[in-house]
Amino acid sequence: MADARAVMRRYFDEQRPMSDRARAALMRTAAILTVVGLAGFAFILWSVVNVAGAAVLDEPLRQWFVQLRAPGLDGAMWLFSLITGPVVLPILMAVLTAGWIWLGKHAWRPTMLAGGMLLGVLIAIVIRDTVDKPRPAQSLMVLFHPDHTYSFVSGHTLGATNFALLGFYVLYSRHKNPKPWMFWGGLAAAVLWILASASSRLYTGFHWFTDVMGSICIALVILGLVIAVDTRRTAAPLHATSEDEGAPVVP
């Protein structure tokens, strides 16, 4: 029993000394992300159900992406759709999680990342089977076999967005004395990854604009929940020593 408790402490007990002000700022950020994500998703869902609002952009943007198709872009769009698909991304996550636990000697952060992504998968399945939104015409789907499932929301985009945003958070939040360029550079890389994944689903003709936007909104909600849970679980009182002023460095 003692050995089991020692293992749990070694792999799951992680404390981040921080001031009350920093803790409050994190919880406020979590609340803002959650509210913005929920409000955005509510608007997108309303648009889909009523074929209004953001849904008026579905067909024009579909046509625009079809016109963009060219051999030079096909490879990049195929690659992004493959990486963020239901085969490659879960394998990548499994390898990353196992390697992180093995090399980093802890499990809370990789478990948090994997748990957030799994939550996204479950939410996408429930919403897709509930809304029953048809996909674009199968004759316009390229680079992959036609998909006969429902369209809203985009599982590829949700998985890619969760991977980028949660990965950015669990890495950046553990650096001691992070520099501004780390935040803006990491955020820019995450945004570019998300845009590339969403564009690949529109380019290949498997999703509508509202599908990918709904997925991004859900990912914001999940990010907010992860930040809140992580802060409540790991935030510790800040001591007066200089060693306690930061958070553990990412291994």
Side-chain angles (χ1 to χ4, degrees):
M1 188 67 176
D3 290 342
R5 286 197 295 267
V7 170
M8 290 296 293
R9 285 195 300 270
R10 179 178 182 182
Y11 285 99
F12 286 95
D13 284 356
E14 180 179 356
Q15 296 297 306
R16 291 188 293 157
M18 65 176 67
S19 65
D20 291 341
R21 181 178 179 182
R23 184 181 185 278
L26 280 172
M27 296 302 289
R28 186 165 55 248
T29 299
I32 292 172
L33 287 169
T34 303
V35 170
V36 169
L38 287 173
F41 180 77
F43 173 69
I44 294 296
L45 181 59
W46 175 87
S47 300
V48 169
V49 172
N50 294 278
V51 194
V56 301
L57 297 175
D58 278 349
E59 182 58 26
L61 285 175
R62 184 196 64 79
Q63 295 178 10
W64 185 73
F65 274 96
V66 168
Q67 294 172 1
L68 282 181
R69 290 175 181 172
L73 279 176
D74 285 356
M77 295 303 179
W78 174 85
L79 180 61
F80 271 104
S81 283
L82 181 67
I83 291 175
T84 58
V87 176
V88 175
L89 190 58
I91 295 175
L92 177 63
M93 275 303 307
V95 173
L96 176 63
T97 301
W100 198 338
I101 293 173
W102 179 261
L103 297 176
K105 304 303 181 184
H106 60 79
W108 171 243
R109 276 175 275 168
T111 299
M112 186 169 55
L113 173 60
M117 295 194 64
L118 178 59
L119 177 60
V121 171
L122 297 176
I123 291 174
I125 291 173
V126 171
I127 293 175
R128 184 175 296 174
D129 291 340
T130 302
V131 177
D132 296 350
K133 181 185 178 183
R135 290 182 183 269
Q138 294 182 15
S139 60
L140 296 175
M141 298 179 182
V142 296
L143 305 181
F144 296 94
H145 294 296
D147 194 329
H148 303 281
T149 62
Y150 292 114
S151 181
F152 185 80
V153 291
S154 170
H156 284 70
T157 305
L158 181 54
T161 305
N162 279 332
F163 182 78
L165 294 181
L166 296 177
F168 169 61
Y169 169 72
V170 298
L171 291 174
Y172 178 80
S173 65
R174 265 52 178 193
H175 274 288
K176 286 184 178 178
N177 303 317
K179 307 300 182 182
W181 68 265
M182 295 179 181
F183 175 83
W184 294 112
L187 182 61
V191 170
L192 288 175
W193 174 268
I194 294 166
L195 290 176
S197 175
S199 297
S200 73
R201 302 311 290 161
L202 298 174
Y203 181 93
T204 55
F206 282 76
H207 282 285
W208 305 99
F209 170 71
T210 47
D211 299 339
V212 300
M213 289 305 300
S215 297
I216 293 172
C217 290
I218 294 172
L220 290 179
V221 175
I222 293 175
L223 175 61
L225 294 176
V226 166
I227 292 175
V229 171
D230 182 46
T231 302
R232 286 182 62 86
R233 188 182 188 279
T234 64
L238 181 64
H239 300 293
T241 62
S242 60
E243 288 183 345
D244 293 331
E245 291 180 355
V249 177
V250 176

